[in-house]
Amino acid sequence: MTRVLLTGFEPFDGEALNPSWEAVRAAAANPPEGIVLSTARLPCTFGASLDALREAVERTVPDVVLCVGQAGGRPDVTVERIAVNIDDARIPDNAGAQPVDEPVVPGGPAAYFSTLPVKACVAAVRDAGLPASVSQTAGTFVCNHVFYGLMHLAATERPGLRGGFVHVPYSPGQVTDRALPSLPVAAVAEALCVIAVTAAGCTTDIRAEGGATH
Ligand code: PCA
């Protein structure tokens, strides 16, 4: 059975919760058949997040790592295509750090592609009746930092480890006073299970349109 590590983040930016962790927890409470699922909650800091990820990878020895974060304002579950070697924080992280134009890994490659079948994952979530799309950028905050660090860890130390990143919308309770899109945690959890099963079961992606003009 494929071992899948799912990670979510602690709340940040003054939010009471982070839907990524809530959905990861809900997925683990009702895991899909055919995979061994483990979870970790990562701090939303540039300093400690990758240490926590490395510890979780060493503890659970996964075949696939799927990291998940909140992307407030996005309307759907977005499967990230690429991680870039840059930290450029618009807001301070939970430890007060706000790096600007610093590499995640000095001397590392400019970017890594996800090694999950991004388009197959999007198609599978849509087939489950939930909204999903490919994202061409994971931003330059802690999520991209973790995504890049994960891919660098796999590339340099963990051959065979496949990894990727998924951003999820706000949960409804976060936007009761804001006209912003949201998705219930249960729906996000279902999407994460679908993505985990799809990623575990297929190593080559499907050919399907998923680009963006801007
Ligand atoms: N979202 C942030 C960091 C933690 C999270 O859940 C981001 O997109 O970078």
Side-chain angles (χ1 to χ4, degrees), residues 50 53 83 104-105 112 143-156:
L50 285 177
L53 178 66
V104 180
V105 176
Y112 286 107
C143 286
N144 172 76
H145 180 85
V146 161
F147 184 16
Y148 186 93
L150 165 66
M151 301 316 298
H152 190 71
L153 179 70
T156 57

Side-chain angles (χ1 to χ4, degrees), residues 8-12 18-21 42-46 68-72 74 80 91 94 138-146 165-168:
F9 279 99
E10 67 182 7
F12 70 106
N18 191 317
S20 67
W21 174 242
L42 305 183
C44 187
T45 66
F46 288 97
V68 187
Q70 164 190 304
R74 287 193 188 173
E80 298 292 347
I91 56 172
N94 284 358
T140 55
F141 193 50
V142 179
C143 286
N144 172 76
H145 180 85
V146 161
F165 198 98
V166 171
H167 263 120
V168 303

Side-chain angles (χ1 to χ4, degrees), residues 39-63:
T39 66
R41 183 179 188 255
L42 305 183
C44 187
T45 66
F46 288 97
S49 53
L50 285 177
D51 293 336
L53 178 66
R54 174 185 286 275
E55 186 277 322
V57 168
E58 284 169 3
R59 175 171 51 84
T60 64
V61 197
D63 304 298

